Amino acid sequence: MSEPIIEFTDLRRTFVVRTKAGLLRRAKREVHAVDGISVTIQPGEACGYIGANGAGKSTTIKMITGILVPSAGTVRTCGMEPVANRRRLAREIGVVFGQRSQLWWDLPLRESFRILAAIHRIRAADARPRIDQLIADLALGDLLDTPVRQLSLGERMRGEVAAALVHRPRLLVLDEPTIGLDMISKERLRNFLQAERAQQGTTLLLTTHDMGDIERLCERVLVVDHGRLAYDGTLNGLAERVALQRVLVVDLTEAHAPLRVAGAENIGTELDGQRQRLAFSPEQTTAARVLAEVSAQAEVVDLTLEEPAIEEIVRTLYHGQVAS
């Protein structure tokens, strides 16, 4: 069996937080951001790392990439101890943070790619085909001479992903890559990441609050809650364990009595029935079947599919564990 891309054992990270305890005194308390997590990720896997805000996801990523030193436990990324080998590790991993940029703000996009290739010590002749491929696959050709600061959020995020992949990393870490993107931008980015992983065998570690990202990109899901691992398994296994419903919201051409659909529950109507909300379990039916039955009863002009929130999944999973 090949060496794991990521392996951490009893990983912990504790922060000391100071709070006011009176007019002149400050109290100290320890916050366990990561509290004894053990995980092994093999080459080529695609893992979603999810949890509510403050669950410990970003702290874990910072320890995996060598930005933070663990308080206890061990971590190895691409066979290396991250902090001691940050420069070597940088050649093996690519990182995209949704709220931070690795592109040069005032330079045209093409210059960022050239600079990053030079930083990774890739010869220009070797870098050019790879950069050209990323430009084509991410539809960046019309943006190359635009300063990064003038790009839209979706355009910049495509540029960020390309920048993280210039040096063909073995591991790609994505922290909220689709945050703030519209549906078209999200779909384009997801399609590219699927194709890139299939072609290059890149290992993917993804943190997100968007269940659509997890469904499209990941076969394995790690759920973390209050610094502890609450679930490690497949997305289908998580759905069976949590059993949360989705909600199909349909807008009709005119007012209509509450719709009745097999396998779904009508949980509310608005605008005299012109908008209706139908909850269903993915185990019992699909959004397509629900929509087909709705369309047989009324004309649909618009629809949205509401996924269960990550926070709700974690809360339900956590309470189920406590109850058991």
Side-chain angles (χ1 to χ4, degrees):
M1 194 174 192
S2 59
E3 182 181 54
I5 284 285
I6 299 172
E7 185 175 25
F8 42 94
T9 305
D10 197 25
L11 189 64
R12 300 173 186 270
R13 176 66 195 198
T14 302
F15 295 97
V16 176
V17 178
R18 292 175 173 79
T19 57
K20 283 189 176 182
L23 191 60
L24 299 175
R25 290 190 307 113
R26 286 185 175 272
K28 296 181 182 180
R29 66 183 180 90
E30 288 189 345
V31 175
H32 301 285
V34 176
D35 193 10
I37 297 178
S38 297
V39 168
T40 299
I41 297 175
Q42 297 296 337
E45 283 197 87
C47 297
Y49 193 51
I50 65 175
N53 288 329
K57 305 185 300 297
S58 293
T59 301
T60 305
I61 285 177
K62 289 175 182 177
M63 289 190 284
I64 289 171
T65 55
I67 297 171
L68 279 179
V69 179
S71 300
T74 60
V75 56
R76 294 185 70 81
T77 306
C78 299
M80 292 175 268
E81 195 279 303
V83 174
N85 298 278
R86 280 188 65 180
R87 288 190 177 182
R88 284 178 56 206
L89 185 60
R91 299 172 191 167
E92 304 289 339
I93 64 173
V95 183
V96 176
F97 290 103
Q99 302 290 354
R100 299 175 188 174
S101 180
Q102 61 191 314
L103 303 172
W104 275 260
W105 200 242
D106 293 311
L107 294 180
L109 186 59
R110 72 166 75 244
E111 295 303 323
S112 286
F113 297 153
R114 289 174 181 170
I115 293 170
L116 285 165
I119 288 173
H120 286 290
R121 299 179 181 177
I122 306 172
R123 293 188 310 166
D126 295 330
R128 194 173 300 113
R130 175 59 169 166
I131 293 172
D132 289 345
Q133 177 196 5
L134 292 168
I135 289 169
D137 291 347
L138 284 161
L140 295 170
D142 294 337
L143 307 173
L144 294 177
D145 294 318
T146 304
V148 171
R149 56 184 165 77
Q150 294 180 11
L151 299 176
S152 70
L153 179 58
E155 291 168 344
R156 183 174 64 80
M157 189 51 59
R158 280 184 279 144
E160 296 283 356
V161 172
L165 291 170
V166 165
H167 59 297
R168 301 180 189 271
R170 294 168 58 197
L171 168 66
L172 178 62
V173 180
L174 301 167
D175 189 10
E176 300 286 0
T178 64
I179 189 169
L181 299 188
D182 59 49
M183 290 303 297
I184 295 175
S185 297
K186 284 184 181 182
E187 193 64 14
R188 179 181 287 161
L189 188 55
R190 290 167 182 167
N191 287 340
F192 167 77
L193 290 170
Q194 282 183 314
E196 175 71 13
R197 180 170 166 248
Q199 293 167 9
Q200 303 292 332
T202 310
T203 305
L204 181 66
L205 180 63
L206 169 70
T207 77
T208 182
H209 278 78
D210 191 326
M211 283 303 294
D213 291 345
I214 300 295
E215 288 187 327
R216 285 291 304 278
L217 298 172
C218 302
E219 295 120 8
R220 180 180 175 190
V221 183
L222 307 168
V223 181
V224 63
D225 182 56
H226 293 89
R228 297 183 179 181
L229 193 64
Y231 176 81
D232 180 357
T234 66
L235 185 60
N236 288 338
L238 178 61
E240 291 173 3
R241 189 163 169 181
V242 177
L244 290 176
Q245 292 184 318
R246 294 176 174 177
V247 177
L248 182 68
V249 183
V250 291
D251 288 341
L252 310 177
T253 54
E254 56 187 21
H256 198 285
L259 296 164
R260 293 187 178 182
V261 175
E265 177 187 0
N266 194 314
I267 60 173
T269 63
E270 303 172 32
L271 307 173
D272 295 325
Q274 201 165 348
R275 173 173 292 171
Q276 304 203 21
R277 301 167 63 84
L278 298 154
F280 66 94
S281 170
E283 295 178 351
Q284 298 176 354
T285 188
T286 65
R289 290 175 187 164
V290 174
L291 179 59
E293 289 203 38
V294 169
S295 299
Q297 302 177 49
E299 185 177 351
V300 178
V301 294
D302 198 9
L303 62 91
T304 56
L305 183 62
E306 297 179 353
E307 302 284 354
I310 295 291
E311 288 82 0
E312 187 179 356
I313 291 173
V314 174
R315 183 169 56 249
T316 303
L317 182 63
Y318 178 71
H319 287 320
Q321 286 185 334
V322 172
S324 62

